[in-house]
Amino acid sequence: MSTKVYRYRVKSLNGLLNKQARAVNFVWNFCNDTQKHALKWRKRWPTGFDLNVLTAGSSKELGIHSGTINAVCEQYAKSRKQFKRPYLRYRGNRSLGWVPLKGRDLKRHGDAFRFAGNTFRVFNSRLLPEGKIKDGTCFSQDRCGNWFLNIVVDVADAETRKQVRGVGIDLGLADLATLSNGEKIENPRCFRQLEEKLAKAQRARKKRLAAKIHAKIANTRMDFLHKASTDIVRRFDYIAVGNVSSGKLAKTKMAKSVYDASWHSFKTMLAYKSVANGAWYEEVNESFSSQTCSACGALPESRPKGIAGLRIREWVCSGCGAVHDRDVNAALNILRSGRRAPVVGIPVL
């Protein structure tokens, strides 16, 4: 059994959610004030239960459900402990709207959902599976002002498949991913396509237009990554991906392209979708994967070396004479490395 979040765009009562979000901010700031008071007078730090006691009976005055108040208090204590900070930031007008709720308080009502006596209609992008709605469910707002309902449910894990079809994946910038079977997934470069339009909006200080362009870039990128990752998980039973570090490359001149490719999100999607579909997923050491001959397993003298070798996209092994596409060769070595020893890299090295 695993936890999954289903996200639906809300198309009614957005004004009510805006009002409730302001009340949620008030409760959050009260929790922060209470924490600062405890720090000042060296009192015991309040827990989520203590904050619930202090806010008891305020539901009617604030105009929000009591379960929402409890969820805010518990989330404040949890976040403070998670980030190991004495207190957290205050929530104000610049904070994105957020209305948490208890799973038991949200009820299904046909194609809509009932909460606190109100019916929220949503865009049914996909069917919600039958099952208990868990705590952690919330309404959230994006920078364009749109509201979304995020529903947390438990779903049964699929049976683990036999490793019949395996694939190694080499991540890159020219192509987002190169598969060991020779396929290449083109990098959509979502940011690059709208970079000039975004720059014009920012120079003209059109904040709302800039926010819409940013949202379009993010949505286009996520849609592409979801489709690509789903296709790979459905076709292959075993998936090995190189452990390329986007964080390290983001400190170089390639930072903009690295962020645009979004390798981390792609690997995350492959990981959780593999679990949901019964496939095997491993992230392996890709050291020397592009320099090792996938045919004979040797490190020939003709291999591409150093930074200058990054420009070499095809090379011939001086040992066995095999002709390699650089990325396909790396993907083959990643697949072999994962099947043998997923944490130590290519065995011959």
Side-chain angles (χ1 to χ4, degrees):
M1 190 71 69
S2 59
T3 302
K4 198 169 184 179
V5 179
Y6 285 75
R7 192 167 188 247
Y8 298 97
R9 168 88 177 271
V10 179
K11 59 181 178 180
S12 67
L13 300 180
N14 287 345
L16 175 63
L17 289 174
N18 290 331
K19 182 179 179 181
Q20 292 188 351
R22 291 191 289 270
V24 165
N25 291 347
F26 182 85
V27 176
W28 179 275
N29 294 340
F30 170 79
C31 295
N32 216 19
D33 288 336
T34 305
Q35 174 65 17
K36 284 191 172 182
H37 183 271
L39 290 170
K40 180 179 179 180
W41 298 102
R42 298 182 181 179
K43 299 292 185 180
R44 181 177 63 87
W45 291 10
T47 63
F49 178 79
D50 297 330
L51 295 172
N52 283 337
V53 173
L54 292 173
T55 55
S58 60
S59 173
K60 186 175 181 180
E61 184 176 354
L62 292 174
I64 52 178
H65 196 274
S66 58
T68 297
I69 298 176
N70 292 341
V72 173
C73 295
E74 292 168 6
Q75 184 60 48
Y76 177 87
K78 181 180 178 181
S79 298
R80 188 197 63 208
K81 183 177 181 181
Q82 178 183 357
F83 295 109
K84 298 180 180 179
R85 297 183 60 185
Y87 57 90
L88 302 175
R89 292 182 179 178
Y90 285 94
R91 293 183 62 87
N93 295 331
R94 294 188 177 183
S95 302
L96 297 180
W98 169 61
V99 181
L101 51 103
K102 296 289 186 178
R104 63 176 179 269
D105 297 327
L106 184 69
K107 306 296 181 183
R108 306 185 195 197
H109 189 71
D111 291 336
F113 294 89
R114 292 278 296 175
F115 170 65
N118 299 298
T119 301
F120 295 89
R121 294 183 295 112
V122 300
F123 292 95
N124 290 294
S125 52
R126 55 177 176 169
L127 294 177
L128 183 69
E130 294 295 331
K132 180 181 177 182
I133 299 176
K134 302 184 62 179
D135 292 348
T137 299
C138 68
F139 291 96
S140 63
Q141 188 182 35
D142 65 6
R143 293 195 177 276
C144 294
N146 301 316
W147 279 94
F148 295 87
L149 175 58
N150 308 294
I151 304 176
V152 182
V153 294
D154 283 331
V155 294
D157 293 333
E159 294 185 5
T160 304
R161 295 185 244 162
K162 293 182 179 180
Q163 296 186 26
V164 178
R165 295 165 297 175
V167 66
I169 302 177
D170 177 59
L171 300 177
L173 296 177
D175 295 298
L176 175 66
T178 301
L179 310 188
S180 54
N181 61 1
E183 295 181 30
K184 294 189 176 185
I185 300 175
E186 184 180 358
N187 187 354
R189 294 181 174 84
C190 303
F191 177 78
R192 296 290 188 182
Q193 292 180 8
L194 295 174
E195 183 178 13
E196 185 177 350
K197 188 176 181 180
L198 176 62
K200 289 181 180 179
Q202 290 174 334
R203 285 195 296 268
R205 297 184 179 181
K206 298 180 179 179
K207 295 183 179 180
R208 185 167 297 182
L209 177 59
K212 288 183 178 180
I213 296 173
H214 272 299
K216 183 176 181 179
I217 292 170
N219 292 337
T220 304
R221 182 188 295 122
M222 287 297 105
D223 179 69
F224 179 84
L225 293 179
H226 273 297
K227 290 177 179 178
S229 57
T230 300
D231 177 63
I232 291 173
V233 170
R234 286 177 177 174
R235 288 195 292 144
F236 300 101
D237 308 310
Y238 173 82
I239 302 168
V241 182
N243 63 342
V244 59
S245 175
S246 54
K248 293 180 180 178
L249 286 175
K251 299 177 182 178
T252 66
K253 295 181 179 179
M254 298 183 291
K256 192 178 292 187
S257 298
V258 171
Y259 285 128
D260 196 14
S262 194
W263 292 331
H264 179 73
S265 297
F266 187 56
K267 290 190 288 186
T268 301
M269 290 178 186
L270 288 173
Y272 76 75
K273 289 181 181 181
S274 296
V275 174
N277 290 273
W280 296 76
Y281 173 85
E282 286 183 344
E283 189 171 337
V284 305
N285 188 350
E286 65 171 10
S287 300
F288 299 99
S289 59
S290 60
Q291 299 183 25
T292 304
C293 176
S294 58
C296 64
L299 276 171
E301 288 297 325
S302 60
R303 70 184 187 274
K305 303 174 185 177
I307 297 177
L310 294 175
R311 300 177 181 177
I312 302 175
R313 309 316 302 173
E314 292 186 359
W315 57 282
V316 180
C317 176
S318 57
C320 65
V323 180
H324 296 298
D325 177 283
R326 181 193 181 97
D327 297 330
V328 175
N329 178 67
L332 286 167
N333 285 326
I334 288 171
L335 175 61
R336 183 177 66 173
S337 174
R339 285 183 178 276
R340 293 187 181 181
V343 295
V344 298
I346 299 172
V348 72
L349 302 179

